[in-house]
Structures are given as C-alpha cells and as structure tokens.
Amino acid sequence: MPNLFEHFKRVRIGYALFVLACALGLYLRTLAPTITWQHDGYDGGDLITAAYTLGIPHPTGYPTFVLLGKLFTLLPWGDIAHRVNLLSAMCAALAVTLCYLAGVRLLRPGHWARPAAICAALLLATSRIFWSQAIITEVYALNTLFFAAFTTLCLYTLESVSVGPDNPIDRTRLLRLVSAMALVYGLSLGNHLTMVLSAPLLLGLVGAIWQRRVLFLADWARIAAWLLLGLCVYAYLPLRANAQPLLNWGNSRTLPGLWWVLSGGPYRQFVFRLPPAAWVARVLTWISLLRQQFSVPGTVLGLFGAWKQAQRWPRFFQLLLLTMITYSLYAIGYNTTDS
C-alpha cells in the first residue's frame, strides 16, 4: 500500500510539473528579449529601472514587484530587461499551475478530473491577454500569481471548514491555511492594490470560519500578525526614498509623498469616471474580450463548468462570482483606453 500511495503521489506531482513545463516553455519561447512597448508594456522601462536600482516606480510603488525584480536582475544571462521579463514568465507559469491544482480540487474525483483541469489551465496559459503579460515586464503576471495562490488557499480553507459532523475540523491545519492566506494577501497588496477587490473571497472565508467558532481570539491575532508581516513590504518605500535613489516617484520620505504613491495619486481621477453613455459599449467590449481569450468553445466550456461548480460548491462559486463582478465593474468603470 505505501508503494501504491507513493506512485499516485508521483503521478499527481508529474501532472503539475507537466502543466508548469508547458506554460513556462511557451513563455520562454516567446519572451521579449529586451525592453519593449509591445502588449501595452509602456511601464516596462520604469519598472525595470526601479528593480535594477532599487528605486521607486510610478504609483503605487509596487514594492513587492521591485524586490522580486531585483533578485531576477542578478541572474547571470541576458540583459537586465530580459532578466526582469523572466519574472513575468515564471509568475505566469506558476499561476497556470495553481489554476490546475485548484481545478483538480474543484472537480469530482474520476478519470476525467485531471485532463479537464489541465485543459482549463492551458486555456488560461494561452489566452491572449494573459499570454501577452507573461512575456513582458509588467506587474500583472505577479498579480495573477498572487490571486491564484490566494484563491487556491481559500478553496482549501473552505474545504477544511465544510467537513461533515462525523469528521472534526483539523484546527492546526486550518490555522496554517488562514495564516498563509493572510501573508499572501498582505504581500499581494504590495504588488497591486486591485487585490482589494478580492475582498468578497476574504470576507466570505472569514465569515465561514467565524460561524464554526473553531478559531480563538489568539488565533485571529496570529493571523492578523501574518497579514501585517506581508504589508511590511511597504516599509521599502520610505526607506528607499530616504536614500534618494535614481528613480524616486513621489519622494515617500514625507507622509504626503507616501500617501500620494500609495493611493495612486495620478490615477485616482480615472476610477469609476467612465461617462454613463460609454458603459454599454464597455460592457460589450468586456463580453468580446472574454470570447477572444478562450474562443467560443472554450467560453462555452467555462460556462458549463461554472454551472456544475455552482451545484457542487455553491458557496465558493458565489464568492468567486461576486469577486469576478467586482473586478469587472472596476475595469469597466476605469476611464482609460487600456483598462
């Protein structure tokens, strides 16, 4: 029996590695060799310079991206821009792999579960917009990785608190999952503030756990500490601004400067400022983009999968749907041409 268990464990790992290799191979093959403005990569020069010099790019400062980007600039091959482009490729490939793992968990066990999850993951990997952001320097591939990690942890957490009355909740495992979720969420906000829009998932999970009364106040304090630890990445902004780096948007040494960077000073004017007359055209564009990403058959399969998941995991489906609506309304109402 142990040998059989180890066999199936290796098979599961093998599937995940297969998805990772397919996605990463595709992105490495099509990766931009240096800095580029292709695929709306207009912020690439700013972000690459910030990573290389440990500076502060345009608001919201993106400290998590800058610090990870700095690690990639230390790689011993390619020019600096190519190395930071690799960060996007790696993050996108890992996000696709997490999509596969979450898909396997969502599907009923059976012969078709893993092939279906692989198809779903590879549809994401080859979708037009996602692929375009995986091969240039931008913050969106890392943002997607954080969202995928956060969503997968949410799924495992909800599964842990949804056990039947005959199976007691594993409190230690639950605490570890929620603590990891809090850390990921804090770090993700240091990359892109739109992770705030995933609050429906976070609040839904907290509500589900609170109803079961399985965690104590000391546990919630520990979880809050992990969240704050992730948010500590923002200390990078005033610390580096004080060193006067080559790139120093907003001069975060002062509270007004720090707030200007953190709150996206130059871009607040675009949030939900789309004229009412343009909303219908934007919604139609949103629908068209969805079809373009996955093709008509892929979109139909996705809708069918959503219907099935609404039956099997109604609470998780509702939280995901509400999160999708929240993100979509934000993107549609953001009054720029590349929203």
Side-chain angles (χ1 to χ4, degrees), residues 202-249:
L202 180 64
L203 295 176
L205 259 295
V206 170
I209 297 169
W210 189 268
Q211 286 178 355
R212 299 302 299 267
R213 301 185 185 279
V214 67
L215 296 182
F216 308 121
L217 285 178
D219 298 324
W220 289 109
R222 176 179 170 181
I223 292 166
W226 282 107
L227 175 64
L228 290 174
L229 179 63
L231 290 172
C232 281
V233 72
Y234 275 113
Y236 168 86
L237 298 177
L239 289 174
R240 284 304 297 162
N242 194 57
Q244 289 293 302
L246 176 66
L247 191 65
N248 188 13
W249 281 68

Side-chain angles (χ1 to χ4, degrees), residues 4-118:
L4 186 61
F5 174 77
E6 288 298 325
H7 170 73
F8 282 115
K9 185 177 180 181
R10 286 195 297 270
V11 169
R12 289 197 298 269
I13 295 173
Y15 277 120
L17 291 177
F18 170 76
V19 172
L20 177 64
C22 286
L24 187 58
L26 176 66
Y27 300 146
L28 292 179
R29 181 68 180 82
T30 55
L31 191 69
T34 186
I35 193 169
T36 179
W37 279 14
Q38 293 282 336
H39 309 302
D40 294 316
Y42 311 119
D43 296 330
D46 186 38
L47 293 168
I48 292 165
T49 303
Y52 184 57
T53 64
L54 284 180
I56 298 173
H58 63 284
T60 54
Y62 312 106
T64 304
F65 180 91
V66 171
L67 292 170
L68 287 174
K70 179 61 179 180
L71 293 178
F72 274 75
T73 65
L74 303 177
L75 293 173
W77 62 80
D79 66 20
I80 299 300
H82 182 259
R83 298 174 197 175
V84 184
N85 291 343
L86 281 170
L87 170 60
S88 292
M90 180 59 71
C91 289
L94 289 172
V96 169
T97 307
L98 285 173
C99 176
Y100 159 74
L101 293 174
V104 170
R105 209 71 180 188
L106 283 168
L107 292 164
R108 294 185 184 278
H111 295 301
W112 290 101
R114 296 190 186 280
I118 289 173

